[in-house]
C-alpha cells in the first residue's frame, strides 16, 4: 500500500526519491526549524501564549508551515508543531517557555507517573494536528514532513523537567531502575507511533524521528536502552510505506545502529563528515545534513563556501538531502538561508558529480 501522503499529486517529489536512495538530478533541501522564529513573518502572525496555544489554530499553523516554503523555495515543508505535543495532549503537564523550551512542573519520577501517559487518541486528543495537515496537503505541491520526538529525547524532558546539559536524572533513572525505564520508553514509543500514524494518514508524505539528545549515550547503552524502542517506531510504521529520517546530535558512534533501525534516511549532525557517515552506515540508507547552522550566522560567504564542502562530502552517497547539522538559530538572516537554497539547487548536483560550474 502506498502512503496516503503520496496519493496526492506532488509536482516536486525530489526529496522522496532522494530519501529512497536515488541520486537526483537536483539536490533537495529543507532546514530543521525552518518554520519559526528566524522569520519576521512568523513573529508577525504569532499569537501571544506559547507554541502549544498557537498550534491549536490549524489555519495559523498551516500558514506558519507555508511561510518558509514561499520564502525559500525549499523542497519540503515541515509541520509547525513540537515534539512534546503528544505528551502534552494526554495531559502529562508540560508547558513550553519562550527562550527555554519544554518545562515540566512535576517531572517523571516513579511508576505512578506512568498513569499520566495514557494512549494517544489522535482524533480526539490532537484533532488540530490532523486538521492542519489536511489544510496543508491541499495547498502544497511538495511533500509535507511529519515528525515525532524519539522516545529517548522525550523521556529526557519528562525526567529532567526541562532542557538539561548533563542528563544526570535521565541516566540515573535508566541505570537505577531499568524496568521502569523500559516501561516509560514503551509508553513514549506508543505515543510516537500513534501520532505519526495519524500524521501520515492525514497526508504527511514522510516523517522525521527527532532523537536530538541521544548522542550523550554510549553505543552499548544505546543498544540496550534505546534502540529496541526507536526501532519499533520505524518497524510499526513500515506498512505505511513512507520514507523516514532518523536524526540526532553528536551521534558519530551511534550512526551504524541508527541506520539499522528501519529508517530510510539518517540525519547527520555537523560533527561527522558525510563521507564518514556513508562509510559507517555502509550505504544502507540515504543521508541528510549537515551544514553547521553557525555558518548561516557568520554570513553569506561562509555559508556558501561551507555548503559547497558539505555537498562535496555528500558525493559518495547516492541518496542525499541537504540540511543543517541541527536547527536554524533564531537570529539567522533569511537572506543568507535563501542564498544557500539557491546554491544547492543550482550547483548541488554538479558539485556532487565533481564538476562544479564556474
Ligand atoms: O520548523 C520546524 O522545524 C518545525 C517545527 C518544530 C518546532 N519544534 C517548533 C518550535 C520542530 C520540528 C520542533 C522539534 C523540537 N522541539 C525538537 C527537536 C528538534 C531539535 O531542535 O533538536 C526539540 C528538542 C524540541 C523541544 C523544544 N521546543 C525546544 C528546545 C524549543 C525551543 C525553546 C526556545 O524558545 O528557544 C521548543 C519550542 C519551539 N518549538 C519553538 C518553535 C518554533 C519556539 C517557541 C515559539 O516560537 O513560541
Amino acid at each position: 500500500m502506498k502512503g496516503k501522503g503520496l496519493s496526492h499529486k506532488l509536482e516536486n517529489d525530489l526529496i522522496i526519491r532522494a530519501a529512497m536512495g536515488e541520486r537526483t538530478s537536483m539536490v533537495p533541501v529543507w532546514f530543521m526549524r525552518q518554520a519559526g522564529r528566524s522569520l519576521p513573518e512568523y513573529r508577525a502572525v504569532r499569537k501571544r501564549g506559547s507554541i502549544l496555544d498557537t498550534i491549536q489554530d490549524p489555519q495559523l499553523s498551516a500558514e506558519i508551515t507555508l511561510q518558509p516554503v514561499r520564502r525559500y523555495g525549499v523542497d519540503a515543508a515541515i509541520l509547525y508543531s513540537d515534539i512534546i505535543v503528544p505528551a502534552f495532549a494526554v495531559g502529562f503537564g508540560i508547558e513550553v517557555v519562550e527562550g527555554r523550551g519544554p518545562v515540566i512542573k512535576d517531572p517523571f519520577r516513579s511508576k505512578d507517573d506512568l498513569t499520566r501517559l495514557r494512549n494517544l487518541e489522535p482524533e480526539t486528543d490532537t484533532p488540530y494536528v490532523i486538521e492542519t495537515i489536511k489544510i496543508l496537503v491541499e495547498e502544497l505541491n511538495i511533500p509535507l514532513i511529519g515528525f515525532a520526538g524519539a522516545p529517548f529525547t522525550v523521556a529526557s524532558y519528562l525526567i529532567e523537567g526541562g532542557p538539561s546539559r548533563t542528563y544526570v536524572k535521565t541516566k540515573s533513572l535508566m541505570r537505577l531502575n531499568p524496568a521502569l525505564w523500559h516501561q516509560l520508553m514503551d509508553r513514549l514509543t506508543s505515543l510516537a507511533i500513534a501520532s505519526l500514524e495519524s500524521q501520515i494518514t492525514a497526508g504527511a508524505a514522510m516523517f522525521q524521528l527527532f532523537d536530538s539528545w541521544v548522542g550523550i549515550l554510549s553505543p552499548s547503552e544505546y543498544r540496550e536502552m534505546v534502540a529496541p524502542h526507536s526501532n519499533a517506531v520505524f518497524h510499526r510504521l513500515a506498512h505505511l510505506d513512507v520514507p523516514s529520517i532518523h536524526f540526532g546530535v553528536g551521534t558519530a558512534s551511534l550512526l551504524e545502529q541508527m541506520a539499522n533501525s528501519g529508517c530510510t534516511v539518517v540525519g547527520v549532525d555537523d560533527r561527522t563528515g558525510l563521507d564518514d557517515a556513508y562509510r559507517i552506515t555502509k550505504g544502507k540508507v540515504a543521508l541528510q545534513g549537515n551544514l553547521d547552522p553557525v555558518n548561516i550566522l557568520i554570513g553569506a560567504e561562509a555559508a556558501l563556501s561551507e555548503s559547497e564542502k558539505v555537498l562535496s562530502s555528500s558525493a559518495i552517497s547516492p541518496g542525499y538531502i541537504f540540511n543543517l547539522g541541527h536547527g536554524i538559530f533564531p537570529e539567522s538572516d533569511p537572506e543568507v538561508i535563501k542564498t544557500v537554497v539557491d546554491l544547492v539547487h543550482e550547483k548541488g548536483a554538479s558539485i556532487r558529480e565533481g564538476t562544479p560550474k564556474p
Side-chain angles (χ1 to χ4, degrees), residues 33-35 37 42 46 51 81-82 99 101 157 210 212 326:
R33 292 291 178 91
Q34 66 188 21
R37 291 181 309 164
Y42 170 69
R46 177 83 164 73
I51 183 174
S81 183
D82 199 82
Y157 282 107
F210 282 96
S212 304
H326 200 183

Side-chain angles (χ1 to χ4, degrees), residues 37-56:
R37 291 181 309 164
S38 62
L39 288 178
E41 56 268 40
Y42 170 69
R43 294 190 289 266
V45 299
R46 177 83 164 73
K47 284 187 187 157
R48 274 189 295 161
S50 90
I51 183 174
L52 295 172
D53 303 311
T54 311
I55 59 162
Q56 294 184 53

Side-chain angles (χ1 to χ4, degrees), residues 30-37 42 46 49-51 54 68 78-84 96-102 147 153 157 163 210-213 247 249 326-327 330:
W30 69 283
F31 300 103
M32 289 182 274
R33 292 291 178 91
Q34 66 188 21
R37 291 181 309 164
Y42 170 69
R46 177 83 164 73
S50 90
I51 183 174
T54 311
I78 180 151
L79 181 70
Y80 177 72
S81 183
D82 199 82
I83 60 166
I84 50 89
V96 173
V97 176
E98 212 183 330
R100 185 136 186 259
F147 69 90
T153 289
Y157 282 107
F210 282 96
D211 213 350
S212 304
W213 314 134
F247 169 78
V249 177
H326 200 183

Side-chain angles (χ1 to χ4, degrees), residues 54-108:
T54 311
I55 59 162
Q56 294 184 53
D57 178 342
Q59 285 294 345
L60 184 56
S61 302
E63 167 59 23
I64 293 170
T65 304
L66 292 169
Q67 286 176 342
V69 176
R70 289 192 203 110
R71 188 187 262 266
Y72 301 133
V74 282
D75 300 289
I78 180 151
L79 181 70
Y80 177 72
S81 183
D82 199 82
I83 60 166
I84 50 89
V85 166
F88 160 76
V90 300
F92 188 81
I94 304 182
E95 289 171 66
V96 173
V97 176
E98 212 183 330
R100 185 136 186 259
V103 173
I104 293 97
K105 205 170 96 231
D106 194 4
F108 188 94

